[in-house]
Amino acid sequence: MSPTIRVLVVDDQEMVREGFAALLAAQPDVEVVGTAGDGRAALAEVARLRAAHRCPDVVLMDVRMPVLDGIAATRELVRTGGDGPQVLILTTFDLDDHVFDALRAGASGFLLKHAPARDLLHAVRVVAAGDALLAPEITRRLIAHFAAAGPPSPARVAGLAELTPREREVLVLVARGLSNAEIAAALVLAEQTVKTHVSRVLGKLGLRDRAQAVVAAYESGLVRPGDDGSPRDPML
């Protein structure tokens, strides 16, 4: 039997909040440990649950809320580190201007509010497992953002020096959206070896998860919009 996934639902609209909570609570592998109507209340609820040793594994977080918005709340949650929850952002539109800011704040995934119920359940399980969830429309927005961005970040470029050539290859493929199994097939490696490389990349670059690895790959110039997938070396 799979471990129970503890979820906190955060949305300023009570009907939406309770609807998501009811759907999730009906799943045998999910426990809704609480709800909150804004980012500040969410932080307080996570602190309360952590003290009770029931810290949520996933926080389902709306972006636009009063008192404290979802991006600021995500940033605070990630800053606590340790056994903090993964954050799955809820957004009304696929072109929400806050998508990139939320990713940089540490969100592990995005879900459109009008997505089917099965997509919500899949997203919660994927993020709880420690993987990132970036829908195609979100990925397209990220690519558009970096296409309009300036030169690579010097700090990100310097960070690449810590990676081995194989780790750079893996980072490129992560940025292209490949799963561990797909990366293993592309590089003719065992999937467990790929998982080890991904963990080392995250550790060396100080990243929380694959979502942040995608951002780092583009910010460093290792991957640029329109690339054919071949890694480039921005330090040359």
Side-chain angles (χ1 to χ4, degrees):
M1 183 175 178
S2 300
T4 300
I5 302 169
R6 293 189 293 266
V7 180
L8 175 68
V9 181
V10 186
D11 196 294
D12 63 328
Q13 297 181 44
E14 184 176 3
M15 185 176 296
V16 174
R17 185 169 70 243
E18 296 304 325
F20 281 136
L23 172 65
L24 290 164
Q27 307 308 307
D29 60 336
V30 176
E31 177 190 3
V32 176
V33 292
T35 64
D38 62 68
R40 185 63 64 196
L43 294 176
E45 188 67 1
V46 169
R48 182 187 71 80
L49 289 165
R50 181 182 279 115
H53 305 290
R54 297 182 68 228
C55 186
D57 301 300
V58 177
V59 174
L60 197 59
M61 182 86 75
D62 189 19
V63 171
R64 296 168 177 168
M65 296 183 292
V67 185
L68 188 70
D69 64 44
I71 295 173
T74 297
R75 190 174 294 114
E76 288 299 316
L77 283 175
V78 171
R79 191 174 295 161
T80 61
D83 61 349
Q86 305 293 318
V87 179
L88 178 60
I89 291 287
L90 293 169
T91 181
T92 306
F93 304 106
D94 58 346
L95 295 182
D96 194 314
D97 289 339
H98 299 300
V99 164
F100 181 68
D101 288 339
L103 251 186
R104 294 196 69 178
S108 296
F110 291 87
L111 186 72
L112 302 182
K113 281 190 176 182
H114 61 254
R118 65 178 180 276
D119 289 357
L120 168 64
L121 300 174
H122 173 70
V124 167
R125 290 170 179 133
V126 166
V127 169
D131 291 327
L133 187 131
L134 297 177
E137 58 267 30
I138 300 297
T139 301
R140 285 195 295 270
R141 180 161 180 79
L142 281 176
I143 291 173
H145 172 89
F146 285 112
S153 160
R156 289 295 195 195
V157 172
L160 292 181
E162 301 296 319
L163 305 182
T164 66
R166 177 63 85 187
E167 288 166 352
R168 290 194 192 197
E169 284 184 296
V170 169
L171 178 55
V172 167
L173 296 180
V174 167
R176 290 175 60 199
L178 274 65
S179 67
N180 285 344
E182 291 169 332
I183 294 172
L187 299 180
V188 195
L189 296 172
E191 189 171 347
Q192 184 57 50
T193 301
V194 172
K195 290 180 181 179
T196 299
H197 284 311
V198 171
S199 294
R200 287 175 178 167
V201 167
L202 298 181
K204 288 181 178 181
L205 298 183
L207 305 173
R208 180 178 170 86
D209 55 28
R210 295 171 83 99
Q212 290 197 323
V214 173
V215 174
Y218 278 98
E219 284 190 331
S220 67
L222 185 64
V223 177
R224 297 297 294 173
D227 275 357
D228 62 3
S230 300
R232 63 176 64 203
D233 194 336
M235 294 186 290
L236 295 179

